[in-house]
Structures are given as C-alpha cells and as structure tokens.
Amino acid sequence: MHRFNRRPIQASIRGSGADETEPFIDDLREALSHWASSVAVLAASDGDEIDAITITSFAGVSIDPPLVLACIANHVSILPMIREEQRFTISIL
C-alpha cells in the first residue's frame, strides 16, 4: 500500500496570455453556476499517458482563489498520477 503526503493540489487557471486570468475566472463562475449535480470527467496526464474517470462528487469551493473539490477513493488508479503531477482537468458534462 502506498503512503502519500496529503496536501492540496495548487489550483491554477491558465490562458494563452499573461493578462487573461480574469476571463477564465468568469468562465469558471459561469460553469459552476450551472452545476447542480450531474457527471463530470476528471483527467490527468503525466506527459506520456492520459487517464480519466467519471465523477459525481464534484463541487465548486471558491472563485477567488479558484478552488474545486473532487472526491476520489484511495484505490482509484488515477490518484497517484494526480498526486505526482499536481494538476488535473475537470470537464463538466
């Protein structure tokens, strides 16, 4: 069994330009305002491989700073990749 240091993953929203953070925060606010309860896809990549899972345990926590919550069981195969890479993508369906 693997033991991992539990710590939050640093959130970031990136655009193509340095001053494009505000439109992405607006997009996050808009997306989260339509999320009641449904299915989302959480994906992560280590550069060579992409892994993804469907999740229903997802919630917006904060707009500033941009924070979301996704609950993933310890036995799910994507978890070590997320912890190692410290980033992931959530697609709201």
Side-chain angles (χ1 to χ4, degrees):
M1 176 181 253
H2 295 286
R3 292 265 180 198
F4 293 99
N5 181 10
R6 294 179 186 227
R7 62 184 188 277
I9 296 170
Q10 195 66 14
S12 66
I13 296 177
R14 296 185 191 146
S16 58
D19 295 330
E20 295 189 14
T21 302
E22 189 62 37
F24 288 96
I25 289 176
D26 291 341
D27 289 345
L28 176 63
R29 180 182 292 114
E30 178 71 16
L32 292 176
S33 73
H34 293 289
W35 177 266
S37 177
S38 189
V39 176
V41 175
L42 185 144
S45 174
D46 63 4
D48 295 327
E49 189 176 321
I50 297 173
D51 198 359
I53 59 171
T54 56
I55 58 172
T56 56
S57 56
F58 170 75
V61 176
S62 172
I63 295 297
D64 189 15
L67 299 173
V68 295
L69 170 80
C71 299
I72 303 167
N74 285 330
H75 68 277
V76 177
S77 64
I78 197 172
L79 191 58
M81 185 184 295
I82 293 171
R83 286 184 169 149
E84 185 173 322
E85 297 301 319
Q86 292 290 297
R87 60 185 178 166
F88 58 88
T89 299
I90 301 222
S91 299
I92 297 173
L93 304 178

